[in-house]
Amino acid sequence: MDRDTQIEEIIDFVSRHKSSHASRTVCARILGDSFMGIDDEAIDELRSRLPRADSDELEACYYIIK
């Protein structure tokens, strides 16, 4: 599976399941522990940062949502 597909699936999952533990874990890993909740701004930030994440981090986030 390519990176773009993984990124889209992660963003889609977080968008649909904003209050899930998996979504909060992904956001904490990518956005840092200082994020204040999952809203449209956090999802936009996730969309911009995920492509810059290293492969291991992206794989970990994908595994969390699956």
Side-chain angles (χ1 to χ4, degrees), residues 10-11 13 16-17 19 22 24 33 39 41-42 49 58 60:
I10 293 166
I11 291 167
F13 180 91
R16 287 184 292 115
H17 305 284
S19 61
R24 290 193 306 268
D33 293 326
D39 56 13
E41 186 178 324
R49 289 191 190 189
L58 188 62

Side-chain angles (χ1 to χ4, degrees), residues 1-2 4 7-8 13-14 16 28-32 35 37 43 46 50 52-53 55-57 61 63 65:
M1 177 171 294
D2 69 3
D4 291 338
I7 290 167
E8 283 308 311
F13 180 91
V14 172
R16 287 184 292 115
R29 288 182 77 122
I30 300 299
L31 304 180
F35 86 98
I43 292 168
L46 197 61
L50 273 172
R52 298 188 308 248
S55 294
D56 289 341
E57 192 69 18
C61 290
Y63 178 79
I65 64 143

